[in-house]
PDB file of all heavy atoms in Angstrom:
ATOM      1  N   VAL A   1      98.175  94.078  97.288  1.00 96.00           N
ATOM      2  CA  VAL A   1      99.246  95.079  97.064  1.00 96.00           C
ATOM      3  C   VAL A   1      99.811  95.002  95.661  1.00 96.00           C
ATOM      4  O   VAL A   1     100.024  96.053  95.028  1.00 96.00           O
ATOM      5  CB  VAL A   1     100.358  94.920  98.133  1.00 96.00           C
ATOM      6  CG1 VAL A   1     101.555  95.680  97.732  1.00 96.00           C
ATOM      7  CG2 VAL A   1      99.908  95.482  99.434  1.00 96.00           C
ATOM      8  N   GLU A   2     100.012  93.833  95.227  1.00 95.00           N
ATOM      9  CA  GLU A   2     100.530  93.643  93.882  1.00 95.00           C
ATOM     10  C   GLU A   2      99.540  93.858  92.767  1.00 95.00           C
ATOM     11  O   GLU A   2      99.874  94.696  91.714  1.00 95.00           O
ATOM     12  CB  GLU A   2     100.990  92.128  93.663  1.00 95.00           C
ATOM     13  CG  GLU A   2     102.353  91.898  94.476  1.00 95.00           C
ATOM     14  CD  GLU A   2     103.378  92.823  94.293  1.00 95.00           C
ATOM     15  OE1 GLU A   2     103.689  93.135  93.109  1.00 95.00           O
ATOM     16  OE2 GLU A   2     104.052  93.385  95.364  1.00 95.00           O
ATOM     17  N   GLU A   3      98.294  93.492  93.023  1.00 94.00           N
ATOM     18  CA  GLU A   3      97.317  93.511  91.903  1.00 94.00           C
ATOM     19  C   GLU A   3      96.518  94.891  91.789  1.00 94.00           C
ATOM     20  O   GLU A   3      96.273  95.516  90.840  1.00 94.00           O
ATOM     21  CB  GLU A   3      96.370  92.339  91.964  1.00 94.00           C
ATOM     22  CG  GLU A   3      96.941  91.096  91.785  1.00 94.00           C
ATOM     23  CD  GLU A   3      97.677  90.876  90.355  1.00 94.00           C
ATOM     24  OE1 GLU A   3      97.193  91.558  89.465  1.00 94.00           O
ATOM     25  OE2 GLU A   3      98.496  89.996  90.151  1.00 94.00           O
ATOM     26  N   VAL A   4      96.146  95.442  93.028  1.00 94.00           N
ATOM     27  CA  VAL A   4      95.511  96.729  93.070  1.00 94.00           C
ATOM     28  C   VAL A   4      96.318  97.851  93.132  1.00 94.00           C
ATOM     29  O   VAL A   4      96.025  98.922  92.482  1.00 94.00           O
ATOM     30  CB  VAL A   4      94.464  96.691  94.391  1.00 94.00           C
ATOM     31  CG1 VAL A   4      93.862  97.929  94.665  1.00 94.00           C
ATOM     32  CG2 VAL A   4      93.498  95.657  94.353  1.00 94.00           C
ATOM     33  N   PHE A   5      97.449  97.837  93.827  1.00 93.00           N
ATOM     34  CA  PHE A   5      98.318  99.062  94.036  1.00 93.00           C
ATOM     35  C   PHE A   5      99.567  98.857  93.044  1.00 93.00           C
ATOM     36  O   PHE A   5     100.488  99.744  93.251  1.00 93.00           O
ATOM     37  CB  PHE A   5      98.762  99.119  95.466  1.00 93.00           C
ATOM     38  CG  PHE A   5      97.628  99.468  96.473  1.00 93.00           C
ATOM     39  CD1 PHE A   5      97.018  98.407  97.214  1.00 93.00           C
ATOM     40  CD2 PHE A   5      97.340 100.799  96.673  1.00 93.00           C
ATOM     41  CE1 PHE A   5      95.944  98.793  98.067  1.00 93.00           C
ATOM     42  CE2 PHE A   5      96.266 101.090  97.546  1.00 93.00           C
ATOM     43  CZ  PHE A   5      95.600 100.044  98.228  1.00 93.00           C
ATOM     44  N   ASP A   6      99.642  97.810  92.311  1.00 91.00           N
ATOM     45  CA  ASP A   6     100.835  97.627  91.457  1.00 91.00           C
ATOM     46  C   ASP A   6     102.122  97.626  92.140  1.00 91.00           C
ATOM     47  O   ASP A   6     103.172  98.110  91.661  1.00 91.00           O
ATOM     48  CB  ASP A   6     100.845  98.817  90.452  1.00 91.00           C
ATOM     49  CG  ASP A   6      99.786  98.647  89.349  1.00 91.00           C
ATOM     50  OD1 ASP A   6      99.345  97.493  89.099  1.00 91.00           O
ATOM     51  OD2 ASP A   6      99.373  99.716  88.662  1.00 91.00           O
ATOM     52  N   GLY A   7     102.060  97.223  93.423  1.00 92.00           N
ATOM     53  CA  GLY A   7     103.233  97.142  94.307  1.00 92.00           C
ATOM     54  C   GLY A   7     103.519  98.411  94.990  1.00 92.00           C
ATOM     55  O   GLY A   7     104.461  98.511  95.837  1.00 92.00           O
ATOM     56  N   TYR A   8     102.843  99.511  94.768  1.00 92.00           N
ATOM     57  CA  TYR A   8     103.049 100.741  95.482  1.00 92.00           C
ATOM     58  C   TYR A   8     102.306 100.833  96.649  1.00 92.00           C
ATOM     59  O   TYR A   8     101.457 101.768  97.051  1.00 92.00           O
ATOM     60  CB  TYR A   8     102.584 101.959  94.534  1.00 92.00           C
ATOM     61  CG  TYR A   8     103.487 102.171  93.363  1.00 92.00           C
ATOM     62  CD1 TYR A   8     103.203 101.703  92.199  1.00 92.00           C
ATOM     63  CD2 TYR A   8     104.601 102.919  93.540  1.00 92.00           C
ATOM     64  CE1 TYR A   8     103.933 101.759  91.015  1.00 92.00           C
ATOM     65  CE2 TYR A   8     105.479 103.245  92.377  1.00 92.00           C
ATOM     66  CZ  TYR A   8     105.163 102.666  91.180  1.00 92.00           C
ATOM     67  OH  TYR A   8     105.928 102.938  90.079  1.00 92.00           O
ATOM     68  N   ALA A   9     102.654  99.888  97.587  1.00 95.00           N
ATOM     69  CA  ALA A   9     101.961  99.854  98.981  1.00 95.00           C
ATOM     70  C   ALA A   9     102.620  98.733  99.809  1.00 95.00           C
ATOM     71  O   ALA A   9     103.445  97.925  99.269  1.00 95.00           O
ATOM     72  CB  ALA A   9     100.452  99.593  98.850  1.00 95.00           C
ATOM     73  N   VAL A  10     102.303  98.707 101.083  1.00 96.00           N
ATOM     74  CA  VAL A  10     102.637  97.559 101.986  1.00 96.00           C
ATOM     75  C   VAL A  10     101.583  97.064 102.619  1.00 96.00           C
ATOM     76  O   VAL A  10     100.695  97.781 103.097  1.00 96.00           O
ATOM     77  CB  VAL A  10     103.876  97.966 102.936  1.00 96.00           C
ATOM     78  CG1 VAL A  10     105.148  98.314 102.247  1.00 96.00           C
ATOM     79  CG2 VAL A  10     103.498  99.098 103.782  1.00 96.00           C
ATOM     80  N   PRO A  11     101.453  95.646 102.836  1.00 97.00           N
ATOM     81  CA  PRO A  11     100.365  95.212 103.568  1.00 97.00           C
ATOM     82  C   PRO A  11     100.436  95.626 104.982  1.00 97.00           C
ATOM     83  O   PRO A  11     101.508  95.935 105.658  1.00 97.00           O
ATOM     84  CB  PRO A  11     100.560  93.553 103.493  1.00 97.00           C
ATOM     85  CG  PRO A  11     101.499  93.395 102.333  1.00 97.00           C
ATOM     86  CD  PRO A  11     102.307  94.650 102.343  1.00 97.00           C
ATOM     87  N   ALA A  12      99.182  95.837 105.626  1.00 97.00           N
ATOM     88  CA  ALA A  12      99.117  96.319 107.026  1.00 97.00           C
ATOM     89  C   ALA A  12      98.526  95.194 107.856  1.00 97.00           C
ATOM     90  O   ALA A  12      97.471  94.718 107.513  1.00 97.00           O
ATOM     91  CB  ALA A  12      98.289  97.544 107.088  1.00 97.00           C
ATOM     92  N   THR A  13      98.965  95.007 109.108  1.00 97.00           N
ATOM     93  CA  THR A  13      98.364  94.164 110.045  1.00 97.00           C
ATOM     94  C   THR A  13      97.675  94.999 111.106  1.00 97.00           C
ATOM     95  O   THR A  13      97.058  94.444 111.950  1.00 97.00           O
ATOM     96  CB  THR A  13      99.412  93.255 110.770  1.00 97.00           C
ATOM     97  OG1 THR A  13     100.386  94.145 111.340  1.00 97.00           O
ATOM     98  CG2 THR A  13     100.338  92.465 109.787  1.00 97.00           C
ATOM     99  N   GLY A  14      97.751  96.334 110.994  1.00 97.00           N
ATOM    100  CA  GLY A  14      97.129  97.178 112.098  1.00 97.00           C
ATOM    101  C   GLY A  14      97.284  98.586 111.576  1.00 97.00           C
ATOM    102  O   GLY A  14      97.695  98.897 110.540  1.00 97.00           O
ATOM    103  N   PRO A  15      96.544  99.443 112.397  1.00 97.00           N
ATOM    104  CA  PRO A  15      96.436 100.909 111.983  1.00 97.00           C
ATOM    105  C   PRO A  15      97.721 101.778 112.171  1.00 97.00           C
ATOM    106  O   PRO A  15      97.612 103.053 111.703  1.00 97.00           O
ATOM    107  CB  PRO A  15      95.318 101.380 112.761  1.00 97.00           C
ATOM    108  CG  PRO A  15      95.324 100.621 114.042  1.00 97.00           C
ATOM    109  CD  PRO A  15      95.827  99.248 113.671  1.00 97.00           C
ATOM    110  N   LEU A  16      98.740 101.313 112.774  1.00 97.00           N
ATOM    111  CA  LEU A  16      99.909 102.199 113.233  1.00 97.00           C
ATOM    112  C   LEU A  16     101.008 101.946 112.314  1.00 97.00           C
ATOM    113  O   LEU A  16     101.157 100.819 111.760  1.00 97.00           O
ATOM    114  CB  LEU A  16     100.228 101.911 114.612  1.00 97.00           C
ATOM    115  CG  LEU A  16      99.290 102.296 115.710  1.00 97.00           C
ATOM    116  CD1 LEU A  16      99.859 102.027 117.056  1.00 97.00           C
ATOM    117  CD2 LEU A  16      98.769 103.757 115.534  1.00 97.00           C
ATOM    118  N   GLU A  17     101.816 102.913 111.973  1.00 94.00           N
ATOM    119  CA  GLU A  17     102.937 102.698 111.207  1.00 94.00           C
ATOM    120  C   GLU A  17     104.027 101.746 111.840  1.00 94.00           C
ATOM    121  O   GLU A  17     103.887 101.501 113.154  1.00 94.00           O
ATOM    122  CB  GLU A  17     103.608 104.002 110.850  1.00 94.00           C
ATOM    123  CG  GLU A  17     104.129 104.947 112.010  1.00 94.00           C
ATOM    124  CD  GLU A  17     104.596 106.276 111.548  1.00 94.00           C
ATOM    125  OE1 GLU A  17     104.675 106.525 110.333  1.00 94.00           O
ATOM    126  OE2 GLU A  17     104.883 107.124 112.436  1.00 94.00           O
ATOM    127  N   GLU A  18     104.983 101.321 111.190  1.00 93.00           N
ATOM    128  CA  GLU A  18     105.835 100.162 111.512  1.00 93.00           C
ATOM    129  C   GLU A  18     106.612 100.434 112.854  1.00 93.00           C
ATOM    130  O   GLU A  18     106.743  99.559 113.654  1.00 93.00           O
ATOM    131  CB  GLU A  18     106.851  99.767 110.478  1.00 93.00           C
ATOM    132  CG  GLU A  18     107.650  98.496 110.672  1.00 93.00           C
ATOM    133  CD  GLU A  18     108.484  98.112 109.613  1.00 93.00           C
ATOM    134  OE1 GLU A  18     108.491  98.835 108.434  1.00 93.00           O
ATOM    135  OE2 GLU A  18     109.251  97.099 109.725  1.00 93.00           O
ATOM    136  N   ARG A  19     106.961 101.587 113.121  1.00 92.00           N
ATOM    137  CA  ARG A  19     107.781 101.849 114.351  1.00 92.00           C
ATOM    138  C   ARG A  19     107.046 101.523 115.628  1.00 92.00           C
ATOM    139  O   ARG A  19     107.638 101.454 116.724  1.00 92.00           O
ATOM    140  CB  ARG A  19     108.256 103.240 114.452  1.00 92.00           C
ATOM    141  CG  ARG A  19     107.194 104.376 114.550  1.00 92.00           C
ATOM    142  CD  ARG A  19     107.836 105.708 114.191  1.00 92.00           C
ATOM    143  NE  ARG A  19     106.939 106.875 114.321  1.00 92.00           N
ATOM    144  CZ  ARG A  19     106.722 107.611 115.292  1.00 92.00           C
ATOM    145  NH1 ARG A  19     107.570 107.529 116.391  1.00 92.00           N
ATOM    146  NH2 ARG A  19     105.889 108.646 115.226  1.00 92.00           N
ATOM    147  N   TRP A  20     105.665 101.528 115.588  1.00 95.00           N
ATOM    148  CA  TRP A  20     104.853 101.203 116.769  1.00 95.00           C
ATOM    149  C   TRP A  20     104.434  99.670 116.875  1.00 95.00           C
ATOM    150  O   TRP A  20     103.851  99.312 117.876  1.00 95.00           O
ATOM    151  CB  TRP A  20     103.595 102.063 116.709  1.00 95.00           C
ATOM    152  CG  TRP A  20     103.865 103.631 117.014  1.00 95.00           C
ATOM    153  CD1 TRP A  20     103.914 104.475 116.083  1.00 95.00           C
ATOM    154  CD2 TRP A  20     104.226 104.178 118.154  1.00 95.00           C
ATOM    155  NE1 TRP A  20     104.078 105.723 116.712  1.00 95.00           N
ATOM    156  CE2 TRP A  20     104.330 105.669 117.945  1.00 95.00           C
ATOM    157  CE3 TRP A  20     104.440 103.810 119.535  1.00 95.00           C
ATOM    158  CZ2 TRP A  20     104.652 106.496 118.965  1.00 95.00           C
ATOM    159  CZ3 TRP A  20     104.686 104.573 120.547  1.00 95.00           C
ATOM    160  CH2 TRP A  20     104.832 105.949 120.203  1.00 95.00           C
ATOM    161  N   VAL A  21     104.773  98.952 115.794  1.00 96.00           N
ATOM    162  CA  VAL A  21     104.221  97.561 115.726  1.00 96.00           C
ATOM    163  C   VAL A  21     105.120  96.676 116.401  1.00 96.00           C
ATOM    164  O   VAL A  21     106.253  96.612 116.125  1.00 96.00           O
ATOM    165  CB  VAL A  21     104.013  97.214 114.189  1.00 96.00           C
ATOM    166  CG1 VAL A  21     103.556  95.690 114.093  1.00 96.00           C
ATOM    167  CG2 VAL A  21     103.078  98.201 113.481  1.00 96.00           C
ATOM    168  N   PRO A  22     104.663  95.812 117.408  1.00 96.00           N
ATOM    169  CA  PRO A  22     105.515  94.802 117.888  1.00 96.00           C
ATOM    170  C   PRO A  22     105.869  93.688 116.948  1.00 96.00           C
ATOM    171  O   PRO A  22     105.138  93.488 116.019  1.00 96.00           O
ATOM    172  CB  PRO A  22     104.621  94.217 119.096  1.00 96.00           C
ATOM    173  CG  PRO A  22     103.295  94.406 118.741  1.00 96.00           C
ATOM    174  CD  PRO A  22     103.233  95.690 117.797  1.00 96.00           C
ATOM    175  N   PRO A  23     107.026  93.084 117.226  1.00 96.00           N
ATOM    176  CA  PRO A  23     107.487  92.105 116.183  1.00 96.00           C
ATOM    177  C   PRO A  23     106.631  90.906 115.926  1.00 96.00           C
ATOM    178  O   PRO A  23     106.546  90.375 114.760  1.00 96.00           O
ATOM    179  CB  PRO A  23     108.829  91.522 116.781  1.00 96.00           C
ATOM    180  CG  PRO A  23     109.230  92.717 117.760  1.00 96.00           C
ATOM    181  CD  PRO A  23     108.055  93.273 118.266  1.00 96.00           C
ATOM    182  N   ASP A  24     105.811  90.526 116.847  1.00 97.00           N
ATOM    183  CA  ASP A  24     104.873  89.388 116.647  1.00 97.00           C
ATOM    184  C   ASP A  24     103.712  89.779 115.737  1.00 97.00           C
ATOM    185  O   ASP A  24     102.892  88.929 115.313  1.00 97.00           O
ATOM    186  CB  ASP A  24     104.250  88.898 117.922  1.00 97.00           C
ATOM    187  CG  ASP A  24     103.603  89.911 118.747  1.00 97.00           C
ATOM    188  OD1 ASP A  24     104.298  90.866 119.171  1.00 97.00           O
ATOM    189  OD2 ASP A  24     102.458  89.761 119.079  1.00 97.00           O
TER     190      ASP A  24
END
């Protein structure tokens, strides 16, 4: 995210946006 996107991104742990992601 920092080196490729210059910080203009967030790391992803899965394919869904945050509102669907469980806390774990």
Side-chain angles (χ1 to χ4, degrees):
V1 164
E2 293 303 319
E3 299 294 342
V4 172
F5 294 93
D6 291 332
Y8 287 94
V10 293
T13 62
L16 297 179
E17 60 186 352
E18 187 174 356
R19 66 192 177 101
W20 292 104
V21 179
D24 57 301

